[in-house]
Amino acid sequence: MEFKGKTVIVTGAGKGIGREIAKMLVERGAHVVALTRSAADVEALRGESGCRAIQVDLADADATREAAIAALPADFLVNCAGTTELQPFLETTVEAFDRLVAVNTRAPMIVGQEYARSLIKDSRQGAIVNVSSVASFIGIPDHAAYCASKGGLDGLTRVMAKELAPHGIRANGVHPTVTMTPMAVKAWSDPEKAAGMMKRIPVGRFAEPADIAEVVLFLLSDEAAMVNGISMPVDGGYMIA
Ligand code: NDP
């Protein structure tokens, strides 16, 4: 898949899966505009891969819209930024719930709106990939806010797919299982918990960021021209186990 001359907005490109998506896109000829939070990551992205990097806290709706507009015009959009806080359902706080929904659900809506408006205005086609999680399909203990935020994101993906396809813009969701990134360390560093999860993955390992990035690039590409509105697990068979 070639992305020569294409501009791709990648949120959360500072670390983990988003970083790998940005790297892979640059290797395949794309110009990447990264939207991410930490200043050190912004500097590294500019230095290492020549990405245009915009520093923004995606929990802030106004700042997110401003950053999205500054990132345009773009051919493709990957909403990858995500965050989690582990709390049992009975102890889930309103503050944590709102924070997770703001970053995992509301920010993809805001960035998606500005991206799609710009394409429609210029009569150009495009594609969006929203990075969800297997956590939107199942209930994972201590992940109430996270599961809810990703379920909300899936609903958004499906409406985007219906409303934007007539304008030539496809939207799909990618659902990783545990993937070896800084976020996974936060949720899966307990060896007993990790072993229990691993046992349910028929291919016998957790995902690497590149496993997810390859699928994201496919869904953006013209090779996936007839793929719209799907929720694609990238989980080594976890969902059928
Ligand atoms: P990481 O925590 O490793 O990286 C997340 C990236 O998103 C970081 O660059 C982070 O920046 C950025 N980000 C988070 N919050 C904000 C914010 N408020 N504003 C701007 N940027 C922000 O996560 P992963 O790479 O593991 O996850 C990527 C996506 O994949 C997420 O949507 C996640 O939910 C999903 N996913 C991950 C799985 C896993 O096991 N790793 C499994 C299933 C889904 P900073 O560090 O500066 O805050």
Side-chain angles (χ1 to χ4, degrees):
M1 288 162 287
E2 276 283 324
F3 288 87
K4 214 163 256 150
K6 301 292 185 191
T7 298
V8 189
I9 299 172
V10 182
T11 73
K15 294 186 180 71
I17 296 170
R19 182 68 161 261
E20 183 64 29
I21 292 168
K23 180 172 155 267
M24 214 176 255
L25 282 165
V26 167
E27 283 165 6
R28 297 183 194 182
H31 175 62
V32 170
V33 185
L35 262 51
T36 198
R37 183 166 49 179
S38 298
D41 291 337
V42 166
E43 285 314 310
L45 282 161
R46 285 178 183 153
E48 254 165 44
S49 45
C51 291
R52 194 175 145 225
I54 298 172
Q55 190 178 358
V56 60
D57 181 356
L58 295 165
D60 177 334
D62 293 338
T64 298
R65 196 171 296 284
E66 212 174 287
I69 292 169
L72 295 166
D75 297 285
F76 300 114
L77 166 64
V78 183
N79 280 311
C80 186
T83 188
T84 192
E85 291 179 43
L86 304 191
Q87 291 174 330
F89 170 68
L90 293 176
E91 285 152 40
T92 298
T93 62
V94 167
E95 291 75 17
F97 190 91
D98 285 351
R99 259 194 308 275
L100 264 60
V101 169
V103 176
N104 297 353
T105 321
R106 188 180 67 192
M109 179 198 75
I110 295 170
V111 181
Q113 283 178 332
E114 295 306 332
Y115 161 77
R117 281 178 187 149
S118 147
L119 283 183
I120 293 166
K121 179 173 70 65
D122 296 341
S123 301
R124 292 168 57 207
Q125 305 203 332
I128 300 168
V129 173
N130 291 328
V131 180
S132 183
S133 169
V134 291
S136 76
F137 300 134
I138 55 170
I140 303 180
D142 303 333
H143 284 71
Y146 184 75
C147 290
S149 71
K150 292 297 189 178
L153 178 62
D154 295 357
L156 190 68
T157 303
R158 288 190 280 270
V159 176
M160 283 172 157
K162 278 218 172 142
E163 291 191 6
L164 300 179
H167 297 284
I169 304 166
R170 295 178 296 107
N172 290 292
V174 163
H175 299 246
T177 184
V178 177
T179 307
M180 298 326 290
T181 68
M183 179 188 279
V185 170
K186 189 146 85 176
W188 300 100
S189 50
D190 171 4
E192 209 174 303
K193 192 173 154 198
M197 181 68 174
M198 180 92 79
K199 259 208 309 245
R200 293 193 51 196
I201 301 177
V203 302
R205 66 173 177 87
F206 290 151
E208 295 295 333
D211 293 318
I212 315 304
E214 287 286 6
V215 175
V216 169
L217 265 62
F218 167 68
L219 289 172
L220 291 180
S221 74
D222 286 347
E223 280 81 356
M226 201 55 191
V227 184
N228 187 39
I230 65 158
S231 298
M232 183 161 187
V234 188
D235 67 346
Y238 173 79
M239 289 304 300
I240 47 112

